[in-house]
Amino acid sequence: HIVCPHDISQTNALTPFIQQTSLSVSTHIEPRGARHLLTSQHSLPGIPVALKQSIDLRTSMDGKYKEIAEELFSRSLAESEMRSAPYEFPEDSPIEQLEEKRHRLERQISQDVKFEPDILLRAKQEFMKTDSATDLEYMKEQSQAPDLQEREQVPEREYQRVTISGEEKCGVPFTDLLDAAKCVVKALFIRQKYMSLSLQSFCRTTTRYLQELSERPLDLDLYEEDIPETTVTADATVHPPVSETHPYENQDPASMPPDMGYGCKMVDGVMHVYTTRNIMEKSTELDLPYPDLQEYIADMNVMMALIINGPVKSFCYRRLQYLSSKFQMHILLNEMKELAAQKKVPHRDFYNIRKVDTHIHASSCMNQKHLLRFIKRAMKKYPKEIVHVERGKGQTLMEVFESMNLTAFDLSVDTLDMHADRNTFHRFDKFNAKYNPIGESILREIFIKTDNYIKGKYFGHIIKEVMADLEESKYQNVELRLSIYGRSRDEWDKLATWAVKHQVYSNNVRWLVQVPRLFDVYHTKKQLCNFQEMLENIFMPLFEVTVNPGSHPELHLFLQHVVGFDSVDDESKPEQHIFNLDSPLPVNWTEEDNPPYSYYLYYMYANMTVLNHLRRQRGFHSLVLRPHCGEAGPIHHLVSGFMLSENISHGLLLRKAPVLQYLYYLAQIGIAMSPLSNNSLFLSYHRNPLPEYLSRGLMVSLSTDDPLQFHFTKMKSYWLGPNYIKEGQESNDIRRTNVPDIRVAYRYETMCEELNLITQAIRTDELETIEEEGSLCMGAVQAEK
C-alpha cells in the first residue's frame, strides 16, 4: 500500500498477499444421506444463531425491516431529488436539523421524567443539551461482575491520551444509545456470519467484543487455520525466501494432487458437488455450505433499515465526529514523540517499507511513456509479424499502423491520447475509451489483451517489464487485476496458458480476477442465454481444477498466485430491478436488463463460499471477495459490500452514510482508495474523503487504480515481523513498519473504547432487566405469603 507513513493502517491493514500453503487435511468426505437445504448455520432471517441467548437485540424497527428496505430501494430507483437521502445526516438542512432537535428533546423528556421531576425546567434552561438519564460510568461500576470485567490492557508506552470524563460521555440519551448499540451489534453479527461462512477474515478485536454477547463460540480462528506457525524471529531478515525453481516450471499433471472423482453441477445459480460424476443426486451430494437466499434477503432488509434509523444515524454521526476530533488532539499532543520514535530507527523510512498497491488493473499498470516506448520497440522489432486478422486476411504490425497513416516517428504521448482529462468526469464510457491507444480498439486488442491472435505475446512482455521495475525497486508490490468475462467456458484456460506460456510471474505480484457486470451486453449479442450460463462459465473450471488439478494443469499453477475476485463496472448505471425473493433465479434471468449489483455479488459470494470449502478440504488456499464498491450509484452497493466482501475498493459514498461508515470502522473493513482516479471520474480531488477516513481510523490504503490513465500473508511475517497478526502494540515492529508504537496503541485503544461503549450499553440493559425481573418475582413471593 502507498499509505500514510505514520499510520497503523500501514501494518495490519489492507489485504495483504494471500498465503499459498498446503494443509494436512483428509480428502475423504462422507456423502450425506437425506437431502437437506445447503444453508449456513444461521437459520433465522436477520437474527444470527449467535444471538439466541439472553442478550436482547430487539429494536423499535423489528417487524418493519422489509417495508423500510423496499421503500429505500424504491427511492434509489426513482432517483429522488431530495435535499438529503434517508441514510445521510442532514448537516446543511436547518429544517431537518430543527426536526431532529425537537425529536431528541421529546425522547429526552419521555425517558428522563421518571428519574428527574425537574426535567422540564432543565429542558427550558438548556434546550440544546442532551443528557444521559443515568451516567454510563456509574452504570458500568454498578454492573461490574467477574465475567464482565474489562480486559487487562497490555501496558503501553507513555503518551498523551485524550479521555472524556463525567456525565454525558456519549452525547445522546441512554435509550438512544441502547437502540443504536443494538442495531450496530446486530449489523456486526451479520457480517461476522457471512465472513465465517465463506472463510474470509473478520477483525479479531471486534470478534472478541462480540464474543461477550454470544453464547456460541465465534469462529475467530476459522480463517487463520490457513496461517502456519511462522519460523520468522524478530531479528530475522526482512526479505522472504525466494524459490530456486520457477513456479510454472513443473506442468506435469502426474506430479499434481490426484483426482478426487467428484462431479459438479450448478443448481439455482450455486454450484453443488457430488461424490461421483455418474450419479449426481441427493444421496451423493457433499455437504458444502453456502448462504440461504431467503436469509440473505432478510439480512439485507435489516441492514437497509438500520442505515436510515434516525437515532442510529445521530449516534454514528456523533461518534465519527468525536473520532475525528480525538485524532486531531492526538496529533497535536503526540506528533513530536511519534516523529522522534521514527528517527530512532536506522535505515527504515517511508520509501523502504514494503508497500502493496491493492487496487490496480493489469491492462493499465504501465504508464503512458512506458507503453509508448514498448509500441515503438515492437514496430522496429516485429514489423512483419502477423498480429491481427481482418476479414479472413492476416495483417502485420506495420500494415496495421500504415492503415492508420502512422509511423513510429509520429507516435507521442499526446497522440496515444490515453490520459483521463476533464472530459471523462461522470462519463464512464469516455473513460473506458481511453484504454484504446490513439482511439483505436485494434491497438488495445494487440497490445493490452491476453486473448488475441498472438496469444497475448505483447501484453505478456510489457507486464514482465513492469514486474522487472518492481523487482528492481524491491519495496513495491502490486495485486494486478485480470478479466474473466463469463462468455465462454475456456476463458480460464486461455488466461492461465497466457501466464504460464509467457512466464508472467514475479514475487512482487499477485493476481485478482475481475468479473465485469456485463451480462446484458453478452445476452443482447446472443453470447449467453441466461445468467446461470455466465456463472457456470466463471466457476465450473475452478471446481474442475480443484477436484482434479491434472485436468487443467496450467490453471492449477496459475491459481496458486490468485488472491480472489473483484466485481467491476460503472456503478452509476441505473438499476431497473430490486433484488428480493421475487427476483428470477439465474437460470430464469433471460431479461435484457442487467441484474442489480447485489444480485451479482450474492451469486459470486455463494459460489466462492462453496469453492473455498472444497479447496480447504483439498489443502489449497481459499479466495476472497474484494469488489469495486461505493464509487457511485445507490447506497445498497455498500450494504452488500459490508455483508459479503472482505475488503472493497473506493468506498466514496461512505462519506454520505454515517451508519455504514461507523460500521466499516468497527469491522475494520479494508478500503483501497484512489483519489486521482476518482478525480477524473466521480469526485474532485479536494473533496475526496480519504484524509477524513484516515483520521477516524477506517482501514484505508492509497492505490493507483489505473497508472496508464493517472500517474501476501506468508510474506507479511517477514515484512512486518512475526507478531503482525496480534492486536495492538504487540503486532508492531517499528524496525520493519516505520509506524510508531504510540500510533498503534492509540488506534487500538480508541477502537476498544468504541466497541466497549456499545457492548457495555447492551450488557447494562440486560443486567437492569434481570434485576427488574428478580424484584418482580420477589414481590410475587411476598404477596403469596
Side-chain angles (χ1 to χ4, degrees):
H1 319 304
I2 308 170
V3 296
C4 173
H6 307 295
D7 206 317
I8 178 57
S9 51
Q10 189 174 335
T11 59
N12 289 340
L14 279 186
T15 316
F17 281 29
I18 197 75
Q19 150 181 313
Q20 289 79 34
T21 58
S22 294
L23 304 178
S24 55
V25 181
S26 171
T27 55
H28 176 67
I29 307 169
E30 291 293 333
R32 58 183 176 186
R35 168 77 174 179
H36 65 274
L37 180 63
L38 288 180
T39 179
S40 69
Q41 317 169 56
H42 315 288
S43 56
L44 296 181
I47 305 180
V49 164
L51 308 184
K52 292 171 68 177
Q53 69 271 325
S54 58
I55 298 299
D56 180 14
L57 294 183
R58 288 176 296 176
T59 67
S60 57
M61 292 187 298
D62 284 8
K64 305 176 184 176
Y65 293 129
K66 186 172 184 291
E67 292 77 5
I68 296 174
E70 287 181 350
E71 173 65 20
L72 188 53
F73 275 123
S74 300
R75 290 192 186 189
S76 67
L77 290 183
E79 297 183 343
S80 172
E81 297 182 356
M82 64 186 79
R83 186 172 182 86
S84 60
Y87 48 80
E88 294 184 51
F89 191 85
E91 286 186 272
D92 58 348
S93 176
I95 296 177
E96 290 180 338
Q97 282 186 345
L98 188 60
E99 285 293 301
E100 174 67 23
K101 292 174 186 176
R102 183 174 64 81
H103 290 310
R104 188 175 63 207
L105 180 60
E106 289 174 355
R107 292 193 301 270
Q108 172 72 40
I109 293 173
S110 64
Q111 68 97 19
D112 271 7
V113 70
K114 59 181 179 182
F115 294 105
E116 300 184 49
D118 61 339
I119 182 65
L120 294 177
L121 177 62
R122 290 174 57 227
K124 289 179 181 178
Q125 292 173 339
E126 301 181 65
F127 176 79
M128 282 299 296
K129 183 175 181 180
T130 55
D131 203 355
S132 299
T134 312
D135 181 17
L136 280 180
E137 195 66 32
Y138 170 77
M139 289 189 292
K140 176 182 169 184
E141 294 171 0
Q142 294 296 311
S143 63
Q144 285 288 359
D147 59 332
L148 295 181
Q149 289 286 348
E150 275 197 83
R151 59 184 57 83
E152 294 183 5
Q153 297 283 344
V154 177
E156 311 289 358
R157 292 187 179 180
E158 282 302 314
Y159 69 95
Q160 302 300 316
R161 289 171 169 82
V162 179
T163 59
I164 306 297
S165 60
E167 296 185 356
E168 308 150 23
K169 290 176 65 175
C170 62
V172 297
F174 180 71
T175 51
D176 283 6
L177 168 62
L178 182 61
D179 204 39
K182 288 181 177 180
C183 290
V184 168
V185 167
K186 184 177 293 188
L188 290 174
F189 268 118
I190 288 174
R191 173 170 170 80
Q192 190 277 332
K193 172 176 64 176
Y194 287 99
M195 292 300 99
S196 172
L197 184 67
S198 60
L199 306 182
Q200 299 184 89
S201 63
F202 187 78
C203 177
R204 293 173 62 91
T205 305
T206 308
T207 302
R208 287 195 294 105
Y209 278 89
L210 292 181
Q211 184 67 75
E212 296 175 1
L213 303 178
S214 172
E215 288 181 349
R216 181 182 61 85
L218 301 181
D219 299 322
L220 175 64
D221 298 319
L222 188 64
Y223 173 82
E224 289 156 12
E225 290 177 14
D226 279 349
I227 302 177
E229 290 293 328
T230 178
T231 57
V232 180
T233 63
D235 297 319
T237 175
V238 178
H239 309 293
V242 179
S243 174
E244 295 181 0
T245 60
H246 197 283
Y248 297 155
E249 188 174 292
N250 188 3
Q251 303 175 32
D252 182 12
S255 64
M256 297 178 179
D259 180 10
M260 296 302 295
Y262 296 157
C264 304
K265 182 173 67 173
M266 183 164 283
V267 180
D268 293 339
V270 180
M271 198 68 71
H272 292 236
V273 184
Y274 305 85
T275 55
T276 173
R277 297 188 180 107
N278 298 326
I279 306 174
M280 290 192 281
E281 57 185 29
K282 306 172 186 177
S283 60
T284 62
E285 188 172 352
L286 295 180
D287 194 357
L288 299 175
Y290 66 86
D292 177 43
L293 177 59
Q294 182 176 354
E295 184 177 354
Y296 170 75
I297 297 294
D299 288 339
M300 186 82 170
N301 290 340
V302 170
M303 291 296 305
M304 293 296 289
L306 294 186
I307 65 175
I308 63 172
N309 179 286
V312 181
K313 272 198 304 183
S314 297
F315 171 78
C316 294
Y317 175 80
R318 289 170 181 274
R319 297 315 298 173
L320 290 170
Q321 292 296 97
Y322 165 73
L323 289 171
S324 295
S325 301
K326 185 177 181 180
F327 180 73
Q328 298 305 321
M329 287 295 293
H330 171 82
I331 293 297
L332 182 66
L333 297 172
N334 297 287
E335 187 175 21
M336 299 310 296
K337 285 187 177 181
E338 291 183 343
L339 189 59
Q342 288 179 308
K343 288 182 177 180
K344 287 181 183 178
V345 181
H347 177 65
R348 195 66 61 201
D349 57 31
F350 175 72
Y351 294 97
N352 57 24
I353 55 173
R354 259 56 184 189
K355 297 173 284 290
V356 182
D357 191 340
T358 57
H359 178 198
I360 176 171
H361 300 275
S363 58
S364 58
C365 67
M366 71 297 293
N367 60 47
Q368 296 170 72
K369 190 64 178 177
H370 187 172
L371 179 60
L372 178 66
R373 288 199 305 266
F374 182 84
I375 291 175
K376 287 188 174 184
R377 283 203 310 272
M379 292 174 68
K380 293 178 181 178
K381 194 172 181 180
Y382 311 108
K384 302 297 183 181
E385 183 174 21
I386 297 178
V387 296
H388 180 68
V389 175
E390 185 72 27
R391 297 176 183 175
K393 181 183 177 183
Q395 281 186 309
T396 65
L397 189 60
M398 179 179 293
E399 290 171 342
V400 168
F401 277 92
E402 284 176 351
S403 66
M404 303 175 191
N405 295 319
L406 285 173
T407 65
F409 180 77
D410 296 325
L411 293 178
S412 67
V413 168
D414 292 333
T415 55
L416 275 183
D417 191 27
M418 302 186 74
H419 192 81
D421 50 32
R422 67 182 64 187
N423 294 317
T424 62
F425 196 71
H426 282 274
R427 288 296 303 272
F428 208 86
D429 55 336
K430 289 188 176 182
F431 175 76
N432 275 338
K434 289 291 182 179
Y435 276 89
N436 299 326
I438 322 177
E440 297 287 344
S441 60
I442 185 176
L443 295 183
R444 178 179 183 176
E445 178 188 329
I446 293 170
F447 287 101
I448 53 179
K449 288 284 187 180
T450 60
D451 183 19
N452 52 27
Y453 184 80
I454 54 176
K455 307 298 183 185
K457 173 183 173 181
Y458 293 162
F459 188 46
H461 283 187
I462 194 169
I463 293 292
K464 290 174 74 173
E465 289 181 6
V466 172
M467 289 176 169
D469 292 341
L470 293 171
E471 291 168 359
E472 185 179 356
S473 71
K474 190 165 70 172
Y475 300 103
Q476 298 179 47
N477 305 271
V478 297
E479 292 177 330
L480 296 177
R481 276 141 173 89
L482 294 169
S483 294
I484 289 292
Y485 301 94
R487 290 175 296 193
S488 63
R489 193 70 62 87
D490 61 354
E491 288 179 9
W492 277 104
D493 285 326
K494 288 181 178 179
L495 181 62
T497 301
W498 167 80
V500 173
K501 177 182 177 181
H502 299 292
Q503 303 279 286
V504 187
Y505 169 81
S506 169
N507 284 321
N508 295 59
V509 175
R510 293 293 182 270
W511 306 106
L512 265 91
V513 172
Q514 63 183 25
V515 180
R517 298 186 296 276
L518 297 174
F519 168 77
D520 54 338
V521 176
Y522 309 146
H523 180 61
T524 302
K525 292 180 178 180
K526 309 298 182 184
Q527 294 174 326
L528 293 172
C529 296
N530 55 58
F531 190 72
Q532 179 159 305
E533 187 179 349
M534 181 177 181
L535 291 172
E536 287 177 337
N537 292 339
I538 294 169
F539 287 100
M540 185 62 81
L542 299 180
F543 279 84
E544 291 174 352
V545 75
T546 302
V547 169
N548 180 17
S551 64
H552 305 266
E554 292 91 354
L555 181 55
H556 174 69
L557 296 175
F558 176 69
L559 280 180
Q560 294 177 25
H561 309 284
V562 173
V563 175
F565 295 97
D566 191 355
S567 178
V568 298
D569 195 22
D570 179 9
E571 287 192 73
S572 65
K573 289 196 301 190
E575 297 181 357
Q576 308 299 329
H577 188 89
I578 298 173
F579 185 24
N580 54 34
L581 292 176
D582 297 326
S583 301
L585 291 170
V587 72
N588 298 324
W589 192 290
T590 56
E591 306 174 19
E592 292 186 0
D593 292 333
N594 209 25
Y597 181 94
S598 53
Y599 192 93
Y600 271 98
L601 222 60
Y602 169 78
Y603 283 104
M604 285 187 67
Y605 168 89
N607 285 285
M608 186 192 76
T609 297
V610 181
L611 180 64
N612 277 348
H613 283 273
L614 181 63
R615 290 182 64 80
R616 166 163 285 190
Q617 291 175 356
R618 293 238 56 189
F620 305 149
H621 74 275
S622 54
L623 304 171
V624 298
L625 183 59
R626 290 167 43 192
H628 283 50
C629 183
E631 187 177 19
I635 200 67
H636 69 76
H637 294 192
L638 283 166
V639 173
S640 300
F642 175 81
M643 293 170 60
L644 306 178
S645 308
E646 183 173 275
N647 295 330
I648 66 168
S649 297
H650 294 303
L652 294 179
L653 291 182
L654 285 175
R655 75 189 195 280
K656 294 184 175 182
V659 178
L660 278 175
Q661 189 180 146
Y662 191 58
L663 288 172
Y664 270 70
Y665 164 68
L666 292 178
Q668 287 293 282
I669 300 173
I671 308 171
M673 304 192 69
S674 311
L676 283 177
S677 170
N678 302 143
N679 182 61
S680 296
L681 267 172
F682 293 109
L683 190 69
S684 57
Y685 188 80
H686 71 281
R687 295 179 58 204
N688 196 281
L690 172 62
E692 186 179 68
Y693 292 176
L694 182 65
S695 69
R696 290 171 174 175
L698 276 76
M699 191 182 287
V700 295
S701 77
L702 192 60
S703 61
T704 52
D705 196 354
D706 302 278
L708 184 61
Q709 278 79 15
F710 328 102
H711 183 61
F712 305 88
T713 24
K714 187 173 183 179
M715 302 221 176
K716 287 187 77 177
S717 59
Y718 290 91
W719 294 344
L720 305 178
N723 299 320
Y724 76 93
I725 200 171
K726 295 184 178 180
E727 300 174 56
Q729 183 180 326
E730 281 187 276
S731 67
N732 187 47
D733 183 350
I734 190 172
R735 297 172 301 170
R736 300 168 187 261
T737 65
N738 202 39
V739 178
D741 286 344
I742 291 175
R743 179 63 62 86
V744 181
Y746 164 78
R747 292 295 193 192
Y748 178 66
E749 290 176 8
T750 300
M751 186 176 175
C752 286
E753 287 172 9
E754 292 299 309
L755 289 166
N756 190 65
L757 175 67
I758 60 174
T759 55
Q760 184 68 31
I762 294 175
R763 292 199 301 266
T764 300
D765 179 65
E766 289 300 316
L767 286 173
E768 288 183 348
T769 302
I770 292 171
E771 290 173 1
E772 289 177 5
E773 291 176 351
S775 62
L776 288 174
C777 291
M778 288 297 295
V781 170
Q782 290 174 357
E784 289 177 2
K785 290 181 179 179

